[in-house]
Amino acid sequence: MPELVKLTIDGKEIEVPAGTLVINAARQVGIEIPAFCYYEGLALQAACRMCLVEVEKAPKLLTACTLPVAKDMIVRTETPQVAAARKGMLEFLLANHPLDCPVCDKGGECELQDMTFRYGAGESRFSEEKQHIEEQQWSPVVFFDRPRCILCFRCVRICNEGMGVAALGVINRGARSEIAPNKGDHLECDECGMCIDICPVGALTSGIYRYKTRPWEMEYAGTICTHCADGCKTTLSVRNGRVIRGNNRDHSGINGEFLCVKGRYAFDFLEHPERLHQPLVRRGVELQHASWKEAVALVAAKFNEVRERGGAFGVIGSARTTNEENFYLQKFARSWLNTNNIDHRRSGDVVALLDALAGLPGSLATTADVYHAGAVLIVGADLAQQHPLLSFQVRANVRHHGARVYVVHPHPQREDKVAAQVVRARGLAGIGQIREKLAGEQSLVVLFGEHIQGADVRRLVEMLPATARYVALVDYANSRGALDMGLLPDLLPGYQPAPAPGLSLQEMVGASLDVLWVVGANPLQGRARASGFLVVQELFLTETARQADVVFPAAAAYEKTGSFTNVCGEVQRLKKGPAVAGPKTDLEIMGLLARQMGHELAPPLPEAVFEEIRRSVAGYNIPYATFVTGAASATQYPNGPIARQGSSELIRSARDTLFTSGTLGRYCSVLNSVRERDLVRVEE
Amino acid sequence: MTFSAELEARLADMVKRYPPGHLRGALVPMLLYIQDEVGAITEDVVQEVATRLQLTPLQVEEVVGYYSMLRRQPAGRHHVQVCTNISCLLRGGEKVWDHARRQLNLQHKETSPDGQFSLEEVECIGACSWAPAVQVGYDYYHEMSPEKFDELVEKLKNQ
Ligand code: SF4
Ligand code: SF4
Ligand code: SF4
Ligand code: FES
Ligand code: FES
């Protein structure tokens, strides 16, 4: 513990650790010192002079954002002198500011507006004509309106330090300073929109949201991103039933301020013209529109008929449907269709990891651990492309705590730049080269991708210190949840052994089953169906849906309540954003089928199923209060050996980039519009 | 891009002076010495320096745009810099500046068509004790007057 320093701010005495900045010390006693350029976690800038305070015995005003506390310091944050200085600074900032607040996207959420309101700099002595400069489009998502910029350099720092991209800079000097993109007149970058989000004014605006609405005209739903497995919280801003913005509005959740291009912008698939709104039934050779009633009756009758004669079912679930849906689906399959032929597309060997961790409790790393660990080992995954949040956490850890990063991958990675050591080799062989160094790491977090699977996972755990914590990297928003919920032919929820193993996904797509039921997946991409009757629940007419006998239009995760479990095994709540007309949630569809079949499965309500999961699935007995308030709860793993049966499993990452997201990504026009899409590739 | 053996040796020595992770510190001196040899900070120079210091070209541009001593266009053979900052101003620097513009027929930051002279009005060059001061290239000329300026120009022409 650093020693405590006593000081007085506005007459309040406080004690804070040595090294604390006055601006933060003030916050602790509820005093807000205004700041534009200061941003917690980024390098200090002291550019805006908004945070000036009076310090006794100091000859002039000092910037609270760079001033560390000192013993017996006496600080005053609201004196006439301070107010006059702030008012003066605002007058400067507003001198060439366009004052187009009535049409500016930031209106109502703008820090400059708030400050002007607070310090009453409502008049200007600047009578010259304002210099107008046309706004510039730097990419499909980033627009820049230069006269609105107050040169706080937050955007430059978040892009450099936070993202490790360094696509923004400041050119020229003094009154001519301006923010500039890396390619002269445009950006080539991650398109994450972090710079837009962090801009205190409306200088950087988003191509998706600009000039669409006013912030007070929207409703907000804080839910979980539907794309990669990292599980960022994203707040959907909904107006008239349409999502028009995504951001992590209150910086809550495991991702704080972070979102990548997908969590922030890739929601437009909801309104894609090819979105299915009505069930489809094959009549002759053609898929034709049908009523829900007809489609449900048809499928229920078929299911009953095959069930009664003991025919063969195959069930393929999804890594993007909720825990509740996955749990319900496997229960439906196992207890009512009498089959263990159930699987989903597997992208990381979580099962082998949990098995190898038997007897080593507390060995799964959380998202926060990636930020706090003394060292991070990244093996066989392009973190910056495939796990943007974890990659952000790693960089922040290096910046704030000086973590040592080890990268083991045959190809160059963004993390190389912050690494203590890079090994250009694959999997265990690469780790072998730095084994001694790693043995000395007492607080090590290991992030491993598809290069390490099967028996190698156990070897990995045996090679590294017993205190190491792990994350088995998987692809999609609920890849981890699908495993935990038993979408596996040989394992029930909570990794309990199934009485008899069923067929794996690869076996099912090739087998001539009587019925193949696919919920939210596209396993028949590039291959023809082999089974008799094919039922698909989907958002779009994918390669698989196109071959179906019946297609049910499904709701997307953004239109559902429920839960996801992220790559670190943390459970988070999904909150329904827009209401959908036409499609139904997968849970509702399953409920309709069960009822039509005359089978009373548990009620198909997310809350009820979640209760059942909490009660019955090992490791999911998470505190309800944490869950409903939208915070993440870490699940426990069995901490015992996992009995695998049968061995035919293919574990392979789809190797999505920042700009792809499996089949779903093809329907996100924002992702398809960015030119970087063609530049990046995730190497095997 | 490669430079003369002498400059290369200098640059190699320079990067050794900064601790690991702080290579960026070499940016300003590197640009200055390269400018002396190449004449200006061209786009190729920006690329080259970025590569050598593991920076993005934009990070180099930021610095080039910031410092007025770094030039994108080559200066004349004799780069004449007249100080008009406070000490020099008080002692007639402005007169020298007006005279220089007329005499060389150049404005601030212009170069003569024959490439012999370029002119620049500069802020304090640290020669206040001998104000008004003029700097040509790296050489200083003290206690200037319009007359002394003419002599200086004659001398430079014959160099
Ligand atoms: S969108 Fe992201 S990567 Fe691109 S400039 Fe902004 S912060 Fe940098
Ligand atoms: S664009 Fe916004 S974030 Fe960037 S410097 Fe200007 S005001 Fe600050
Ligand atoms: S990092 Fe993953 S979870 Fe987070 S916003 Fe991006 S795609 Fe979504
Ligand atoms: S917040 Fe302190 S100078 Fe900007
Ligand atoms: S003011 Fe001219 S040299 Fe200092």
Side-chain angles (χ1 to χ4, degrees):
Chain A
M1 271 299 278
E3 63 172 308
L4 292 178
V5 174
K6 193 184 283 175
L7 73 159
T8 312
I9 304 180
D10 290 347
K12 295 186 190 170
E13 256 198 23
I14 51 160
E15 267 193 336
V16 292
T20 307
L21 297 169
V22 169
I23 195 169
N24 289 328
R27 258 176 219 175
Q28 290 181 22
V29 281
I31 298 168
E32 197 201 332
I33 298 177
F36 285 131
C37 69
Y38 177 74
Y39 196 88
E40 212 169 340
L42 298 180
L44 301 181
Q45 187 88 38
C48 73
R49 322 310 279 187
M50 270 313 282
C51 65
L52 290 171
V53 291
E54 234 180 86
V55 178
E56 216 171 274
K57 299 203 184 92
K60 44 182 189 168
L61 300 180
L62 300 175
T63 49
C65 71
T66 53
L67 182 67
V69 293
K71 190 164 165 283
D72 299 332
M73 193 180 236
I74 298 172
V75 181
R76 294 193 189 86
T77 74
E78 293 283 353
T79 65
Q81 202 195 353
V82 166
R86 288 184 189 150
K87 190 169 171 176
M89 288 320 301
L90 284 167
E91 200 178 337
F92 269 129
L93 290 177
L94 292 172
N96 199 45
H97 198 87
L99 299 183
D100 55 356
C101 309
V103 294
C104 175
D105 282 349
K106 207 75 177 185
E109 295 179 332
C110 172
E111 295 175 38
L112 183 59
Q113 264 186 348
D114 295 349
M115 285 302 142
T116 307
F117 184 75
R118 184 159 150 192
Y119 291 97
E123 285 159 31
S124 171
R125 286 171 289 172
F126 186 83
S127 55
E128 281 73 11
E129 205 176 307
K130 296 202 180 201
Q131 290 204 8
H132 176 71
I133 295 154
E134 286 300 317
E135 54 187 352
Q136 304 158 26
Q137 175 169 15
W138 284 347
S139 82
V141 302
V142 184
F143 282 70
F144 181 57
D145 193 328
R146 187 177 148 199
R148 287 184 189 157
C149 172
I150 60 168
L151 291 170
C152 67
F153 311 126
R154 281 190 195 175
C155 54
V156 177
R157 284 174 288 155
I158 193 73
C159 190
N160 269 286
E161 303 168 23
M163 300 308 299
V165 174
L168 293 173
V170 44
I171 55 168
N172 303 327
R173 180 167 54 162
R176 287 194 187 78
S177 296
E178 60 178 302
I179 303 301
N182 59 355
K183 298 287 158 182
D185 62 349
H186 70 276
L187 277 169
E188 240 171 62
C189 68
D190 280 9
E191 308 287 1
C192 62
M194 289 292 285
C195 50
I196 301 170
D197 203 52
I198 207 170
C199 180
V201 295
L204 287 166
T205 56
S206 127
I208 316 303
Y209 170 73
R210 60 206 299 277
Y211 299 132
K212 281 214 175 127
T213 184
R214 314 254 65 201
W216 53 85
E217 287 181 329
M218 300 186 289
E219 284 159 22
Y220 299 99
T223 190
I224 303 304
C225 171
T226 196
H227 296 282
C228 93
D230 292 1
C232 294
K233 187 163 174 191
T234 177
T235 301
L236 305 175
S237 306
V238 183
R239 198 185 66 175
N240 300 336
R242 298 181 57 203
V243 181
I244 46 184
R245 179 169 77 173
N247 62 7
N248 193 16
R249 196 161 184 255
D250 53 5
H251 292 187
S252 65
I254 55 172
N255 48 315
E257 74 242 335
F258 181 78
L259 278 178
C260 81
V261 60
K262 288 187 259 188
R264 202 182 294 280
Y265 301 121
F267 50 76
D268 56 344
F269 64 87
L270 295 170
E271 296 184 358
H272 194 280
E274 287 169 34
R275 181 89 195 263
L276 300 175
H277 293 281
Q278 245 187 315
L280 299 170
V281 165
R282 189 168 298 281
R283 297 199 180 93
V285 288
E286 251 178 68
L287 276 175
Q288 292 179 349
H289 286 304
S291 68
W292 275 97
K293 203 168 162 207
E294 182 193 348
V296 169
L298 189 80
V299 174
K302 183 71 186 178
F303 278 16
N304 265 339
E305 178 247 310
V306 175
R307 179 179 175 269
E308 272 147 34
R309 67 173 158 87
F313 283 96
V315 179
I316 294 174
S318 166
R320 282 196 222 264
T321 46
T322 65
N323 285 327
E324 292 74 7
E325 291 167 334
N326 292 343
F327 183 85
Y328 201 88
L329 179 64
Q330 66 82 35
K331 195 167 168 184
F332 197 129
R334 292 193 157 108
S335 75
W336 184 237
L337 304 180
N338 304 319
T339 181
N340 279 319
N341 295 343
I342 179 161
D343 204 352
H344 71 288
R345 190 194 157 117
R346 286 177 257 172
S347 47
D349 209 343
V350 176
V351 181
L353 176 66
L354 299 185
D355 182 41
L357 293 181
L360 291 170
S363 292
L364 283 190
T366 62
T367 308
D369 290 339
V370 180
Y371 171 62
H372 289 290
V376 182
L377 167 64
I378 306 162
V379 197
D382 188 336
L383 221 57
Q385 291 296 327
Q386 299 176 282
H387 295 277
L389 171 62
L390 296 180
S391 170
F392 183 80
Q393 294 288 86
V394 169
R395 283 188 298 275
N397 193 354
V398 172
R399 266 174 20 248
H400 299 156
H401 315 126
R404 288 165 302 283
V405 175
Y406 302 92
V407 177
V408 177
H409 199 289
H411 301 283
Q413 311 291 313
R414 184 179 302 170
E415 282 67 36
D416 292 357
K417 256 194 279 179
V418 294
Q421 187 151 3
V422 176
V423 182
R424 281 282 96 88
R426 210 183 141 95
L428 288 188
I431 296 173
Q433 295 179 32
I434 46 171
R435 194 174 173 170
E436 261 150 49
K437 271 209 180 137
L438 294 172
E441 295 292 0
Q442 280 318 303
S443 157
L444 178 67
V445 163
V446 184
L447 311 170
F448 69 90
E450 56 177 340
H451 288 182
I452 296 196
Q453 48 175 284
D456 276 359
V457 178
R458 178 170 291 277
R459 281 184 213 119
L460 173 77
V461 173
E462 284 166 2
M463 269 167 103
L464 297 175
T467 52
R469 282 158 297 165
Y470 298 85
V471 178
L473 299 170
V474 288
D475 280 353
Y476 297 123
N478 207 24
S479 285
R480 177 62 198 274
L483 292 158
D484 289 353
M485 293 303 121
L487 289 193
L488 289 167
D490 60 338
L491 293 170
L492 306 178
Y495 303 97
Q496 301 305 308
L503 300 178
S504 70
L505 187 148
Q506 285 71 39
E507 290 163 342
M508 280 188 269
V509 293
S512 55
L513 302 162
D514 296 304
V515 170
L516 183 64
W517 181 16
V518 179
V519 178
N522 190 13
L524 298 183
Q525 191 175 359
R527 61 188 300 163
R529 73 184 241 199
S531 50
F533 191 76
L534 178 62
V535 182
V536 175
Q537 300 177 200
E538 247 309 342
L539 279 77
F540 303 101
L541 211 53
T542 62
E543 290 85 345
T544 303
R546 223 167 274 154
Q547 304 181 43
D549 294 291
V550 178
V551 184
F552 291 116
Y558 290 150
E559 298 156 340
K560 289 174 181 172
T561 357
S563 68
F564 275 171
T565 307
N566 78 352
V567 66
C568 297
E570 295 161 302
V571 181
Q572 301 183 90
R573 184 171 71 142
L574 299 184
K575 215 169 151 188
K576 181 172 163 177
V580 269
K584 294 186 191 299
T585 69
D586 292 292
L587 193 59
E588 279 177 282
I589 299 170
M590 289 185 269
L592 287 175
L593 288 174
R595 199 178 57 194
Q596 182 77 24
M597 287 175 77
H599 179 57
E600 271 312 317
L601 227 49
L605 299 170
E607 297 75 15
V609 183
F610 184 66
E611 263 318 296
E612 193 179 345
I613 293 172
R614 278 183 69 218
R615 262 187 290 109
S616 66
V617 179
Y620 271 74
N621 191 12
I622 55 172
Y624 195 66
T626 314
F627 179 73
V628 288
T629 51
S633 321
T635 51
Q636 303 302 315
Y637 50 97
N639 193 21
I642 297 174
R644 305 298 324 254
Q645 318 162 50
S647 59
S648 157
E649 59 180 352
L650 187 70
I651 295 181
R652 201 172 143 70
S653 162
R655 286 195 273 128
D656 278 303
T657 69
L658 270 177
F659 309 106
T660 67
S661 185
T663 303
L664 187 62
R666 302 205 310 250
Y667 299 92
C668 297
S669 50
V670 179
L671 295 183
N672 296 325
S673 70
V674 290
R675 69 175 93 199
E676 291 79 4
R677 201 187 145 84
D678 307 320
L679 305 175
V680 286
R681 204 172 72 193
V682 174
E683 311 267 2
E684 192 158 4
Chain B
M1 210 179 178
T2 46
F3 308 109
S4 69
E6 208 185 347
L7 179 56
E8 284 294 352
R10 192 165 202 171
L11 299 182
D13 176 60
M14 196 183 301
V15 293
K16 277 193 254 133
R17 290 164 189 261
Y18 297 87
H22 293 82
L23 208 52
R24 196 175 184 170
L27 182 54
V28 170
M30 204 169 202
L31 286 169
L32 266 177
Y33 288 123
I34 293 175
Q35 171 171 284
D36 283 347
E37 182 168 301
V38 180
I41 308 295
T42 60
E43 241 174 71
D44 289 347
V45 170
V46 170
Q47 286 292 345
E48 180 63 25
V49 171
T51 315
R52 290 189 187 211
L53 297 181
Q54 294 158 30
L55 297 171
T56 64
L58 181 58
Q59 283 167 331
V60 177
E61 294 282 358
E62 290 182 310
V63 166
V64 177
Y66 188 87
Y67 290 106
S68 54
M69 281 171 83
L70 296 172
R71 292 185 297 270
R72 305 207 184 244
Q73 298 298 328
R77 189 160 74 92
H78 304 293
H79 183 52
V80 180
Q81 300 147 74
V82 180
C83 176
T84 54
N85 213 187
I86 190 77
S87 304
C88 295
L89 182 83
L90 290 172
R91 291 178 47 98
E94 196 117 283
K95 259 187 243 141
V96 177
W97 170 241
D98 286 341
H99 184 76
R101 280 188 295 175
R102 264 197 313 274
Q103 212 49 20
L104 295 175
N105 197 19
L106 292 174
Q107 296 299 325
H108 178 55
K109 290 210 169 182
E110 278 184 2
T111 306
S112 61
D114 63 1
Q116 287 302 302
F117 286 95
S118 52
L119 185 63
E120 189 175 348
E121 181 184 15
V122 295
E123 304 302 328
C124 178
I125 52 178
C128 312
S129 306
W130 306 280
V134 166
Q135 190 184 346
V136 181
Y138 285 116
D139 301 327
Y140 277 63
Y141 297 91
H142 298 148
E143 287 162 355
M144 289 306 278
S145 61
E147 298 71 39
K148 281 172 91 177
F149 187 83
D150 290 343
E151 286 168 29
L152 173 62
V153 170
E154 276 317 302
K155 196 182 99 190
L156 292 173
K157 273 186 184 158
N158 298 327
Q159 250 178 31

